[in-house]
Amino acid sequence: MDLSGRFVRFAEKECKGSSPLYEKWSKEVAKDRQLLDLASNAGEGQPVPNLFFGAVQYLLLKEKEDGILGADFKRFKEFCIENKSEISRLLKTKRVQTNEIRRCAYLYPVFCSIFQQTAKPLSLIEIGTSAGLQLHWDRYSYEYGDGYTYGKADSSVRIRSEFKGKPVLLPESPPVVSRVGVDLYVNDVRKEEDRMWLKALIWPEHEERRVLFEEAARVMKKDPVQLIEGDGVSLLPELAEKTERDSTLVVFHTHVANQMPVNVKEQLEKNIHLISGWRDVFHVYNNMWDGLLHVDSIIDGIEEKNTIGRTEGHGQWFEWNL
C-alpha cells in the first residue's frame, strides 16, 4: 500500500468513530503531495499516520498545554510547513510507543487467573515496555460495571472497562516480587521530553486516556521500575534466570508482536521453551499470530495454550472465553 493509501486506511479503519479530527486530517493528507513528502521521512516499519500526527501534537504541546490545533486543515498544513524541519527530525528519531494504561483492564484478570492457579507471587518481564507503565498494573484500581472495585482501591489510577464472559477478578491485586521492562527504545516519564512525546501519541479527543497516562506517570515517578534498553527477545533467557525461583514467571507483551518479523516471533517462542527447561513459565500476549489475547504456559514440561478472546485496542472492552 502506498503512503496515500495508508492515510486513507488509517482514517477509515482506525479513526472513524474514535477520532473525527484525525479522520479528517488523514483524508486530507492523503491528497496532499507536500504533506505526503514530509510524512515519508518516517522511520522504517513505523505506522506513519500515527507517527506523523504525534509529531505535530508534540510540537503543539510545547507551545500550549492542550496540544489541539483544530479542524481547520488549512491551518494544520500551514503549521506543518512552518515546522517542516522539526517534524522531519521527529519522524526520523521518534517511534510510536503508546503506553495504553487501560489495557491493564484485561491484564488484571489474566494475572489473577495465573496467581489463582499457582498460588505464588509473580515475577514480571514485559517485552516492548516503552515507559513501563503497564508493569504497575497492581497499583491501579479497576471497575467493570458490576458495582465492585478491584485491585488497589485507593489508587489515583482508576481504570474502567467492560467484558463479556466470566473473567477471574480477585478483590485485591496478586503479589508481585519483581518487574522488569525491556524495549529497544525506552521512554522515561521522569524526563519531560519522553513524557510529552508519549502524551502526544494520545489522540486529541481521548481525554480519559490522557488523564490515565498522567496519573500512571506520577505513580512511575514515585516508584520507578527497572527498564532495560535492548532486544527483549534475545535478553529474555538471561532476565528469566535472574528472577526468584519461588515465584511465577510471567512474560507478557501487548500490541508489540505485530511489529516483529516472523523469525523474531519464532525465536521468542523458542526462548520461552528454553526457559521452561529450568522453570515454569507463562506467556501472555496479543497481536502476535492473530489479533486475539492469549495465555500460554509450560508447567512441569507440559505445554498448554489458551485463547482468551478479542480486546478493544484501547482497553475499553474485552472478551473472556476461558
Side-chain angles (χ1 to χ4, degrees), residues 235-251:
L235 289 173
L236 186 56
E238 175 188 342
L239 295 174
E241 186 71 54
K242 296 177 181 178
T243 56
E244 187 175 319
R245 290 303 174 93
D246 192 28
S247 67
T248 298
L249 174 61
V250 183
V251 178

Side-chain angles (χ1 to χ4, degrees), residues 2 6 28 36-37 43 69 80 143 191 197 206 221 240 258 275 282 292 298:
D2 64 12
R6 293 174 72 176
E28 295 291 346
L36 287 173
D37 286 344
L69 192 59
C80 290
E143 297 176 10
K191 299 177 180 178
W197 173 249
H206 296 187
K221 288 177 182 178
N258 57 301
I275 293 166
F282 285 81
L292 305 178
I298 307 178

Side-chain angles (χ1 to χ4, degrees), residues 108-110 112-113 116 166-170 320:
Y108 184 78
V110 172
C112 285
S113 176
Q116 189 179 68
K166 296 182 179 180
V168 178
L169 295 171
L170 300 179
W320 189 272

Side-chain angles (χ1 to χ4, degrees), residues 101 139-141 152-160 211-220 222:
I101 315 304
R139 289 173 167 81
Y140 308 152
S141 73
K152 192 174 186 298
D154 61 348
S155 175
S156 61
V157 183
R158 306 185 68 83
I159 296 174
R160 296 175 177 85
V211 171
L212 285 173
F213 168 74
E214 293 286 15
E215 291 296 339
R218 290 188 185 96
V219 173
M220 180 62 75
K222 292 179 182 177

Side-chain angles (χ1 to χ4, degrees), residues 108-120:
Y108 184 78
V110 172
F111 295 139
C112 285
S113 176
I114 292 172
F115 177 67
Q116 189 179 68
Q117 183 177 343
T118 66
K120 292 181 179 180

Side-chain angles (χ1 to χ4, degrees), residues 98-226:
T98 306
N99 262 217
E100 184 48 63
I101 315 304
R102 202 158 47 189
R103 290 175 188 152
C104 291
Y106 55 74
L107 289 176
Y108 184 78
V110 172
F111 295 139
C112 285
S113 176
I114 292 172
F115 177 67
Q116 189 179 68
Q117 183 177 343
T118 66
K120 292 181 179 180
L122 310 181
S123 291
L124 306 173
I125 300 175
E126 183 183 19
I127 297 173
T129 194
S130 184
L133 303 185
Q134 290 187 155
L135 281 163
H136 272 324
W137 62 272
D138 57 321
R139 289 173 167 81
Y140 308 152
S141 73
Y142 302 88
E143 297 176 10
Y144 297 99
D146 59 359
Y148 297 95
T149 298
Y150 303 91
K152 192 174 186 298
D154 61 348
S155 175
S156 61
V157 183
R158 306 185 68 83
I159 296 174
R160 296 175 177 85
S161 184
E162 298 178 354
F163 58 77
K164 295 178 181 179
K166 296 182 179 180
V168 178
L169 295 171
L170 300 179
E172 297 181 357
S173 302
V176 177
V177 292
S178 67
R179 57 193 97 214
V180 178
V182 192
D183 202 301
L184 291 171
Y185 306 93
V186 165
N187 286 288
D188 186 346
V189 294
R190 293 173 297 180
K191 299 177 180 178
E192 184 63 10
E193 180 180 352
D194 286 0
R195 187 192 69 82
M196 283 182 59
W197 173 249
L198 291 174
K199 187 175 179 180
L201 291 173
I202 299 171
W203 296 1
E205 298 90 346
H206 296 187
E207 180 59 26
E208 184 179 357
R209 293 176 64 201
R210 263 188 295 280
V211 171
L212 285 173
F213 168 74
E214 293 286 15
E215 291 296 339
R218 290 188 185 96
V219 173
M220 180 62 75
K221 288 177 182 178
K222 292 179 182 177
D223 187 13
V225 301
Q226 183 182 8

